[in-house]
Amino acid sequence: MRIFNVALAIICVAIVSACTAGGEKGSPTPAPSTDSSSSTSANDIPVRPKSLDLGSVDTCKLLTEDQMKQINVLSSRSENLDLVDGKQSPACHYSNEGRYTYAVGAVTHDGVSYWLKGGGNVTTKVVKVADYGAVKIELSGGSGFDCSISVDVADGQQLMVSYIPMTTGEKDQAVLCGKAEKAAGFALATLKNLK
């Protein structure tokens, strides 16, 4: 379990480092390259059908027992993570002990347009999860590391779901992103029923 926590901490630090604009003076962080079909403006994110406030949501209740079985996770653990811009957000790790984890976070200090501004080593693409606009986020130049989906649930808020393999066996980025998107769909469906 200690190795898992260390690996997860390294992954989270790498994601935050790659996704946070700035850097040391004289060493600017390259702007993200964006897919040709991706958006460069928040105006290109599809209009959400309804706002879903994340302010009081328990992220460890966003995947039901049935949904957890469908994505083959065995346990959940609450934790605050630096998901966006180095600021803490409540999150939950849904884990299949040592093989992979899903991190589900409730970001209430910045919306999905954050990912479309540039300023990090990520590739972004506007997608839809169920009937909500979302942004797919991948590390530029990397494959098999992780994939995140950030769903536009309310003004200045995003439901962020990451799929993180803990072994080197998963290399296909499309598969990783498919798993993140599936879990994001589950979490969104649960969130709709909580409100």
Short mmCIF file of all heavy atoms in Angstrom, two decimals, residues 1-67:
data_model
loop_
_atom_site.label_atom_id
_atom_site.label_comp_id
_atom_site.label_asym_id
_atom_site.label_seq_id
_atom_site.Cartn_x
_atom_site.Cartn_y
_atom_site.Cartn_z
N MET A 1 0.83 -1.20 0.00
CA MET A 1 0.00 0.00 0.00
C MET A 1 0.87 1.26 0.00
O MET A 1 0.52 2.24 -0.61
CB MET A 1 -0.93 -0.04 1.21
CG MET A 1 -1.94 1.08 1.20
SD MET A 1 -2.90 1.15 -0.31
CE MET A 1 -4.50 0.95 0.33
N ARG A 2 2.03 1.19 0.68
CA ARG A 2 2.91 2.35 0.73
C ARG A 2 3.44 2.68 -0.67
O ARG A 2 3.54 3.84 -1.05
CB ARG A 2 4.05 2.09 1.71
CG ARG A 2 4.94 3.30 1.85
CD ARG A 2 5.93 3.10 2.93
NE ARG A 2 6.74 4.31 3.01
CZ ARG A 2 7.94 4.36 3.47
NH1 ARG A 2 8.52 3.27 3.91
NH2 ARG A 2 8.61 5.49 3.51
N ILE A 3 3.79 1.65 -1.44
CA ILE A 3 4.28 1.86 -2.80
C ILE A 3 3.18 2.52 -3.64
O ILE A 3 3.44 3.43 -4.41
CB ILE A 3 4.74 0.53 -3.44
CG1 ILE A 3 5.99 0.02 -2.72
CG2 ILE A 3 5.00 0.68 -4.92
CD1 ILE A 3 6.42 -1.36 -3.13
N PHE A 4 1.95 2.07 -3.48
CA PHE A 4 0.82 2.65 -4.20
C PHE A 4 0.69 4.14 -3.87
O PHE A 4 0.54 4.97 -4.76
CB PHE A 4 -0.47 1.92 -3.85
CG PHE A 4 -1.70 2.59 -4.37
CD1 PHE A 4 -2.03 2.50 -5.71
CD2 PHE A 4 -2.51 3.35 -3.54
CE1 PHE A 4 -3.15 3.14 -6.20
CE2 PHE A 4 -3.62 3.99 -4.03
CZ PHE A 4 -3.95 3.87 -5.37
N ASN A 5 0.76 4.49 -2.59
CA ASN A 5 0.64 5.90 -2.19
C ASN A 5 1.77 6.74 -2.75
O ASN A 5 1.55 7.86 -3.20
CB ASN A 5 0.61 6.02 -0.66
CG ASN A 5 -0.70 5.51 -0.08
OD1 ASN A 5 -1.71 5.46 -0.78
ND2 ASN A 5 -0.68 5.12 1.18
N VAL A 6 2.98 6.21 -2.74
CA VAL A 6 4.12 6.95 -3.30
C VAL A 6 3.94 7.13 -4.80
O VAL A 6 4.13 8.23 -5.34
CB VAL A 6 5.45 6.22 -2.98
CG1 VAL A 6 6.60 6.83 -3.74
CG2 VAL A 6 5.73 6.26 -1.48
N ALA A 7 3.55 6.05 -5.50
CA ALA A 7 3.35 6.14 -6.95
C ALA A 7 2.24 7.14 -7.28
O ALA A 7 2.38 7.94 -8.20
CB ALA A 7 3.00 4.76 -7.52
N LEU A 8 1.15 7.11 -6.52
CA LEU A 8 0.05 8.02 -6.76
C LEU A 8 0.47 9.46 -6.50
O LEU A 8 0.13 10.36 -7.27
CB LEU A 8 -1.15 7.66 -5.89
CG LEU A 8 -2.46 8.33 -6.25
CD1 LEU A 8 -2.81 8.10 -7.71
CD2 LEU A 8 -3.56 7.81 -5.37
N ALA A 9 1.25 9.69 -5.46
CA ALA A 9 1.74 11.04 -5.17
C ALA A 9 2.63 11.55 -6.30
O ALA A 9 2.52 12.70 -6.72
CB ALA A 9 2.50 11.06 -3.84
N ILE A 10 3.48 10.68 -6.83
CA ILE A 10 4.36 11.07 -7.94
C ILE A 10 3.53 11.42 -9.16
O ILE A 10 3.78 12.42 -9.84
CB ILE A 10 5.37 9.96 -8.25
CG1 ILE A 10 6.39 9.85 -7.11
CG2 ILE A 10 6.08 10.20 -9.57
CD1 ILE A 10 7.27 8.62 -7.16
N ILE A 11 2.52 10.62 -9.46
CA ILE A 11 1.66 10.88 -10.61
C ILE A 11 0.93 12.20 -10.45
O ILE A 11 0.89 13.01 -11.37
CB ILE A 11 0.67 9.71 -10.82
CG1 ILE A 11 1.44 8.48 -11.32
CG2 ILE A 11 -0.44 10.08 -11.78
CD1 ILE A 11 0.65 7.21 -11.31
N CYS A 12 0.36 12.44 -9.27
CA CYS A 12 -0.37 13.69 -9.04
C CYS A 12 0.55 14.90 -9.16
O CYS A 12 0.19 15.91 -9.76
CB CYS A 12 -1.05 13.68 -7.67
SG CYS A 12 -2.44 12.53 -7.61
N VAL A 13 1.77 14.79 -8.62
CA VAL A 13 2.72 15.90 -8.73
C VAL A 13 3.08 16.13 -10.19
O VAL A 13 3.16 17.27 -10.66
CB VAL A 13 3.98 15.63 -7.88
CG1 VAL A 13 5.10 16.58 -8.22
CG2 VAL A 13 3.65 15.72 -6.40
N ALA A 14 3.27 15.04 -10.95
CA ALA A 14 3.61 15.18 -12.37
C ALA A 14 2.48 15.84 -13.13
O ALA A 14 2.70 16.70 -13.99
CB ALA A 14 3.94 13.82 -12.97
N ILE A 15 1.25 15.46 -12.83
CA ILE A 15 0.10 16.06 -13.53
C ILE A 15 0.00 17.54 -13.21
O ILE A 15 -0.14 18.37 -14.09
CB ILE A 15 -1.21 15.33 -13.15
CG1 ILE A 15 -1.22 13.93 -13.75
CG2 ILE A 15 -2.43 16.12 -13.63
CD1 ILE A 15 -2.34 13.06 -13.25
N VAL A 16 0.11 17.87 -11.92
CA VAL A 16 0.02 19.28 -11.53
C VAL A 16 1.16 20.07 -12.14
O VAL A 16 0.97 21.17 -12.66
CB VAL A 16 0.00 19.43 -9.99
CG1 VAL A 16 0.15 20.87 -9.58
CG2 VAL A 16 -1.30 18.87 -9.43
N SER A 17 2.36 19.52 -12.11
CA SER A 17 3.52 20.21 -12.69
C SER A 17 3.32 20.43 -14.18
O SER A 17 3.64 21.48 -14.71
CB SER A 17 4.79 19.41 -12.47
OG SER A 17 5.06 19.31 -11.10
N ALA A 18 2.79 19.43 -14.85
CA ALA A 18 2.61 19.54 -16.30
C ALA A 18 1.46 20.47 -16.65
O ALA A 18 1.48 21.10 -17.70
CB ALA A 18 2.35 18.15 -16.90
N CYS A 19 0.48 20.56 -15.78
CA CYS A 19 -0.72 21.31 -16.11
C CYS A 19 -0.74 22.72 -15.55
O CYS A 19 -1.63 23.49 -15.85
CB CYS A 19 -1.96 20.56 -15.58
SG CYS A 19 -2.15 18.95 -16.33
N THR A 20 0.21 23.07 -14.71
CA THR A 20 0.21 24.38 -14.10
C THR A 20 1.06 25.33 -14.92
O THR A 20 2.18 25.02 -15.26
CB THR A 20 0.76 24.30 -12.66
OG1 THR A 20 -0.05 23.39 -11.94
CG2 THR A 20 0.73 25.65 -11.98
N ALA A 21 0.49 26.46 -15.23
CA ALA A 21 1.22 27.46 -16.01
C ALA A 21 2.31 28.07 -15.15
O ALA A 21 2.24 28.08 -13.93
CB ALA A 21 0.27 28.56 -16.48
N GLY A 22 3.31 28.61 -15.81
CA GLY A 22 4.34 29.32 -15.05
C GLY A 22 5.65 28.59 -15.12
O GLY A 22 6.03 28.06 -16.13
N GLY A 23 6.35 28.54 -14.02
CA GLY A 23 7.65 27.91 -13.97
C GLY A 23 8.64 28.94 -13.46
O GLY A 23 8.30 30.06 -13.13
N GLU A 24 9.89 28.55 -13.41
CA GLU A 24 10.91 29.46 -12.94
C GLU A 24 11.18 30.52 -13.99
O GLU A 24 11.00 30.31 -15.18
CB GLU A 24 12.19 28.68 -12.66
CG GLU A 24 12.04 27.73 -11.49
CD GLU A 24 13.34 27.00 -11.22
OE1 GLU A 24 14.39 27.41 -11.73
OE2 GLU A 24 13.28 26.01 -10.50
N LYS A 25 11.62 31.67 -13.52
CA LYS A 25 11.96 32.77 -14.42
C LYS A 25 13.02 32.30 -15.40
O LYS A 25 14.00 31.68 -15.02
CB LYS A 25 12.48 33.94 -13.59
CG LYS A 25 12.36 35.26 -14.28
CD LYS A 25 12.69 36.36 -13.32
CE LYS A 25 12.21 37.68 -13.86
NZ LYS A 25 12.40 38.76 -12.93
N GLY A 26 12.80 32.56 -16.68
CA GLY A 26 13.74 32.15 -17.69
C GLY A 26 13.50 30.75 -18.21
O GLY A 26 14.15 30.30 -19.12
N SER A 27 12.57 30.00 -17.60
CA SER A 27 12.23 28.66 -18.04
C SER A 27 10.74 28.55 -18.24
O SER A 27 10.04 27.91 -17.46
CB SER A 27 12.68 27.62 -17.00
OG SER A 27 14.05 27.74 -16.77
N PRO A 28 10.19 29.20 -19.27
CA PRO A 28 8.75 29.17 -19.43
C PRO A 28 8.24 27.77 -19.75
O PRO A 28 8.92 26.99 -20.41
CB PRO A 28 8.50 30.11 -20.61
CG PRO A 28 9.78 30.13 -21.36
CD PRO A 28 10.86 29.92 -20.34
N THR A 29 7.05 27.47 -19.24
CA THR A 29 6.42 26.20 -19.56
C THR A 29 5.82 26.31 -20.94
O THR A 29 5.10 27.25 -21.23
CB THR A 29 5.30 25.91 -18.53
OG1 THR A 29 5.88 25.92 -17.23
CG2 THR A 29 4.64 24.58 -18.79
N PRO A 30 6.11 25.35 -21.83
CA PRO A 30 5.55 25.42 -23.18
C PRO A 30 4.03 25.38 -23.14
O PRO A 30 3.45 24.72 -22.29
CB PRO A 30 6.10 24.17 -23.86
CG PRO A 30 7.19 23.67 -23.00
CD PRO A 30 6.94 24.19 -21.62
N ALA A 31 3.42 26.09 -24.05
CA ALA A 31 1.96 26.07 -24.17
C ALA A 31 1.54 24.69 -24.65
O ALA A 31 2.27 24.04 -25.38
CB ALA A 31 1.49 27.13 -25.15
N PRO A 32 0.35 24.23 -24.23
CA PRO A 32 -0.08 22.91 -24.67
C PRO A 32 -0.38 22.92 -26.16
O PRO A 32 -0.87 23.91 -26.70
CB PRO A 32 -1.35 22.66 -23.86
CG PRO A 32 -1.86 24.01 -23.54
CD PRO A 32 -0.65 24.88 -23.40
N SER A 33 -0.06 21.81 -26.79
CA SER A 33 -0.50 21.68 -28.17
C SER A 33 -1.92 21.16 -28.10
O SER A 33 -2.24 20.37 -27.23
CB SER A 33 0.40 20.69 -28.92
OG SER A 33 0.44 19.46 -28.25
N THR A 34 -2.76 21.65 -28.97
CA THR A 34 -4.15 21.22 -28.91
C THR A 34 -4.50 20.50 -30.18
O THR A 34 -4.00 20.80 -31.26
CB THR A 34 -5.11 22.42 -28.72
OG1 THR A 34 -4.84 23.37 -29.75
CG2 THR A 34 -4.92 23.05 -27.36
N ASP A 35 -5.34 19.51 -30.06
CA ASP A 35 -5.83 18.76 -31.20
C ASP A 35 -6.54 19.72 -32.15
O ASP A 35 -7.15 20.67 -31.72
CB ASP A 35 -6.80 17.69 -30.67
CG ASP A 35 -7.27 16.75 -31.73
OD1 ASP A 35 -8.12 17.19 -32.52
OD2 ASP A 35 -6.81 15.60 -31.75
N SER A 36 -6.50 19.44 -33.44
CA SER A 36 -7.10 20.36 -34.41
C SER A 36 -8.60 20.51 -34.21
O SER A 36 -9.18 21.51 -34.59
CB SER A 36 -6.80 19.89 -35.84
OG SER A 36 -7.35 18.60 -36.03
N SER A 37 -9.24 19.53 -33.58
CA SER A 37 -10.67 19.64 -33.35
C SER A 37 -10.96 20.19 -31.96
O SER A 37 -12.10 20.25 -31.55
CB SER A 37 -11.35 18.28 -33.53
OG SER A 37 -10.84 17.37 -32.58
N SER A 38 -9.93 20.57 -31.23
CA SER A 38 -10.16 21.07 -29.88
C SER A 38 -10.48 22.55 -29.90
O SER A 38 -10.28 23.24 -30.88
CB SER A 38 -8.95 20.79 -28.99
OG SER A 38 -7.90 21.62 -29.35
N SER A 39 -10.93 23.00 -28.76
CA SER A 39 -11.35 24.38 -28.63
C SER A 39 -10.24 25.23 -28.04
O SER A 39 -9.41 24.75 -27.30
CB SER A 39 -12.57 24.42 -27.70
OG SER A 39 -12.86 25.72 -27.32
N THR A 40 -10.24 26.50 -28.35
CA THR A 40 -9.33 27.43 -27.69
C THR A 40 -10.13 28.46 -26.91
O THR A 40 -9.59 29.43 -26.45
CB THR A 40 -8.43 28.13 -28.72
OG1 THR A 40 -9.26 28.78 -29.68
CG2 THR A 40 -7.52 27.14 -29.40
N SER A 41 -11.41 28.27 -26.80
CA SER A 41 -12.26 29.23 -26.12
C SER A 41 -13.35 28.50 -25.34
O SER A 41 -13.88 27.50 -25.79
CB SER A 41 -12.91 30.15 -27.16
OG SER A 41 -13.99 30.84 -26.60
N ALA A 42 -13.66 29.03 -24.17
CA ALA A 42 -14.73 28.44 -23.37
C ALA A 42 -16.05 28.48 -24.11
O ALA A 42 -16.94 27.69 -23.83
CB ALA A 42 -14.83 29.16 -22.03
N ASN A 43 -16.20 29.40 -25.06
CA ASN A 43 -17.44 29.50 -25.82
C ASN A 43 -17.71 28.28 -26.67
O ASN A 43 -18.83 28.06 -27.12
CB ASN A 43 -17.43 30.75 -26.70
CG ASN A 43 -17.39 32.02 -25.88
OD1 ASN A 43 -17.87 32.04 -24.75
ND2 ASN A 43 -16.81 33.07 -26.43
N ASP A 44 -16.69 27.47 -26.96
CA ASP A 44 -16.87 26.29 -27.78
C ASP A 44 -17.28 25.06 -26.97
O ASP A 44 -17.50 24.01 -27.53
CB ASP A 44 -15.58 26.00 -28.55
CG ASP A 44 -15.28 27.08 -29.57
OD1 ASP A 44 -16.22 27.70 -30.11
OD2 ASP A 44 -14.09 27.32 -29.83
N ILE A 45 -17.36 25.19 -25.66
CA ILE A 45 -17.84 24.08 -24.83
C ILE A 45 -19.36 24.05 -24.97
O ILE A 45 -20.01 25.08 -24.83
CB ILE A 45 -17.43 24.29 -23.36
CG1 ILE A 45 -15.90 24.28 -23.25
CG2 ILE A 45 -18.04 23.21 -22.48
CD1 ILE A 45 -15.39 24.72 -21.91
N PRO A 46 -19.93 22.88 -25.26
CA PRO A 46 -21.39 22.81 -25.40
C PRO A 46 -22.11 23.35 -24.17
O PRO A 46 -21.63 23.22 -23.05
CB PRO A 46 -21.65 21.31 -25.57
CG PRO A 46 -20.36 20.75 -26.09
CD PRO A 46 -19.28 21.59 -25.46
N VAL A 47 -23.25 23.95 -24.41
CA VAL A 47 -24.06 24.50 -23.31
C VAL A 47 -24.53 23.35 -22.43
O VAL A 47 -25.04 22.34 -22.91
CB VAL A 47 -25.28 25.27 -23.88
CG1 VAL A 47 -26.17 25.76 -22.75
CG2 VAL A 47 -24.82 26.42 -24.74
N ARG A 48 -24.32 23.50 -21.12
CA ARG A 48 -24.75 22.45 -20.20
C ARG A 48 -26.26 22.50 -20.04
O ARG A 48 -26.85 23.58 -19.97
CB ARG A 48 -24.00 22.55 -18.87
CG ARG A 48 -24.45 23.62 -17.94
CD ARG A 48 -23.62 23.67 -16.67
NE ARG A 48 -22.36 24.36 -16.84
CZ ARG A 48 -22.20 25.67 -16.71
NH1 ARG A 48 -23.23 26.43 -16.43
NH2 ARG A 48 -21.03 26.21 -16.88
N PRO A 49 -26.91 21.34 -19.94
CA PRO A 49 -28.36 21.31 -19.79
C PRO A 49 -28.84 21.83 -18.44
O PRO A 49 -29.94 22.34 -18.32
CB PRO A 49 -28.73 19.85 -19.97
CG PRO A 49 -27.47 19.09 -19.87
CD PRO A 49 -26.33 20.02 -20.10
N LYS A 50 -27.99 21.71 -17.42
CA LYS A 50 -28.38 22.10 -16.07
C LYS A 50 -27.11 22.24 -15.24
O LYS A 50 -26.16 21.47 -15.41
CB LYS A 50 -29.27 20.99 -15.48
CG LYS A 50 -29.71 21.19 -14.07
CD LYS A 50 -30.56 20.00 -13.63
CE LYS A 50 -30.81 20.03 -12.14
NZ LYS A 50 -31.54 18.85 -11.68
N SER A 51 -27.07 23.22 -14.35
CA SER A 51 -25.92 23.37 -13.46
C SER A 51 -26.02 22.37 -12.31
O SER A 51 -27.09 22.16 -11.75
CB SER A 51 -25.86 24.79 -12.89
OG SER A 51 -25.46 25.69 -13.88
N LEU A 52 -24.89 21.75 -11.99
CA LEU A 52 -24.81 20.79 -10.90
C LEU A 52 -23.70 21.25 -9.96
O LEU A 52 -22.52 21.08 -10.26
CB LEU A 52 -24.50 19.39 -11.46
CG LEU A 52 -25.49 18.83 -12.47
CD1 LEU A 52 -24.93 17.58 -13.13
CD2 LEU A 52 -26.83 18.54 -11.80
N ASP A 53 -24.06 21.85 -8.84
CA ASP A 53 -23.09 22.40 -7.90
C ASP A 53 -22.32 21.29 -7.19
O ASP A 53 -22.91 20.34 -6.68
CB ASP A 53 -23.80 23.29 -6.88
CG ASP A 53 -22.84 23.95 -5.92
OD1 ASP A 53 -21.81 24.49 -6.39
OD2 ASP A 53 -23.11 23.91 -4.71
N LEU A 54 -21.00 21.43 -7.15
CA LEU A 54 -20.14 20.44 -6.50
C LEU A 54 -19.77 20.81 -5.08
O LEU A 54 -19.06 20.06 -4.41
CB LEU A 54 -18.85 20.26 -7.32
CG LEU A 54 -18.99 19.65 -8.70
CD1 LEU A 54 -17.67 19.74 -9.46
CD2 LEU A 54 -19.45 18.21 -8.60
N GLY A 55 -20.23 21.96 -4.60
CA GLY A 55 -19.79 22.50 -3.32
C GLY A 55 -19.90 21.58 -2.13
O GLY A 55 -19.02 21.57 -1.27
N SER A 56 -20.92 20.78 -2.03
CA SER A 56 -21.09 19.93 -0.85
C SER A 56 -21.11 18.44 -1.20
O SER A 56 -21.58 17.62 -0.42
CB SER A 56 -22.38 20.31 -0.12
OG SER A 56 -23.48 20.10 -0.98
N VAL A 57 -20.56 18.10 -2.35
CA VAL A 57 -20.60 16.71 -2.82
C VAL A 57 -19.50 15.87 -2.19
O VAL A 57 -18.35 16.29 -2.11
CB VAL A 57 -20.48 16.68 -4.37
CG1 VAL A 57 -20.28 15.27 -4.88
CG2 VAL A 57 -21.70 17.31 -5.00
N ASP A 58 -19.86 14.69 -1.71
CA ASP A 58 -18.89 13.71 -1.23
C ASP A 58 -18.42 12.92 -2.44
O ASP A 58 -19.16 12.13 -3.01
CB ASP A 58 -19.54 12.79 -0.20
CG ASP A 58 -18.60 11.73 0.35
OD1 ASP A 58 -17.50 11.52 -0.20
OD2 ASP A 58 -18.98 11.08 1.34
N THR A 59 -17.18 13.15 -2.86
CA THR A 59 -16.67 12.52 -4.08
C THR A 59 -16.61 10.99 -3.98
O THR A 59 -16.61 10.31 -5.00
CB THR A 59 -15.28 13.07 -4.45
OG1 THR A 59 -14.41 12.93 -3.32
CG2 THR A 59 -15.36 14.53 -4.87
N CYS A 60 -16.57 10.46 -2.77
CA CYS A 60 -16.56 9.01 -2.61
C CYS A 60 -17.96 8.40 -2.69
O CYS A 60 -18.13 7.20 -2.52
CB CYS A 60 -15.88 8.62 -1.30
SG CYS A 60 -14.07 8.73 -1.38
N LYS A 61 -18.94 9.24 -2.99
CA LYS A 61 -20.29 8.74 -3.23
C LYS A 61 -20.71 8.95 -4.69
O LYS A 61 -21.85 8.71 -5.05
CB LYS A 61 -21.29 9.43 -2.29
CG LYS A 61 -21.08 9.01 -0.85
CD LYS A 61 -22.14 9.55 0.05
CE LYS A 61 -21.87 9.03 1.47
NZ LYS A 61 -22.81 9.57 2.42
N LEU A 62 -19.77 9.39 -5.52
CA LEU A 62 -20.10 9.65 -6.92
C LEU A 62 -20.07 8.41 -7.79
O LEU A 62 -20.57 8.44 -8.92
CB LEU A 62 -19.19 10.74 -7.50
CG LEU A 62 -19.51 12.15 -7.00
CD1 LEU A 62 -18.52 13.16 -7.56
CD2 LEU A 62 -20.94 12.55 -7.38
N LEU A 63 -19.50 7.33 -7.31
CA LEU A 63 -19.60 6.05 -8.01
C LEU A 63 -20.35 5.09 -7.09
O LEU A 63 -19.92 4.85 -5.96
CB LEU A 63 -18.22 5.49 -8.36
CG LEU A 63 -17.42 6.26 -9.40
CD1 LEU A 63 -16.06 5.59 -9.65
CD2 LEU A 63 -18.18 6.43 -10.70
N THR A 64 -21.45 4.57 -7.58
CA THR A 64 -22.26 3.64 -6.79
C THR A 64 -21.56 2.27 -6.75
O THR A 64 -20.62 2.02 -7.52
CB THR A 64 -23.65 3.46 -7.41
OG1 THR A 64 -23.51 2.83 -8.69
CG2 THR A 64 -24.37 4.80 -7.55
N GLU A 65 -22.03 1.39 -5.87
CA GLU A 65 -21.46 0.04 -5.80
C GLU A 65 -21.56 -0.66 -7.14
O GLU A 65 -20.60 -1.32 -7.57
CB GLU A 65 -22.16 -0.78 -4.71
CG GLU A 65 -21.71 -0.43 -3.31
CD GLU A 65 -22.29 -1.38 -2.28
OE1 GLU A 65 -22.35 -2.59 -2.54
OE2 GLU A 65 -22.68 -0.88 -1.20
N ASP A 66 -22.69 -0.54 -7.82
CA ASP A 66 -22.86 -1.18 -9.13
C ASP A 66 -21.89 -0.60 -10.15
O ASP A 66 -21.28 -1.34 -10.93
CB ASP A 66 -24.31 -1.00 -9.61
CG ASP A 66 -24.55 -1.71 -10.93
OD1 ASP A 66 -24.27 -2.93 -11.02
OD2 ASP A 66 -25.00 -1.04 -11.89
N GLN A 67 -21.72 0.71 -10.16
CA GLN A 67 -20.78 1.34 -11.08
C GLN A 67 -19.35 0.91 -10.78
O GLN A 67 -18.56 0.67 -11.69
CB GLN A 67 -20.90 2.87 -11.00
CG GLN A 67 -22.21 3.40 -11.55
CD GLN A 67 -22.44 4.86 -11.18
OE1 GLN A 67 -21.89 5.39 -10.22
NE2 GLN A 67 -23.30 5.53 -11.95
#
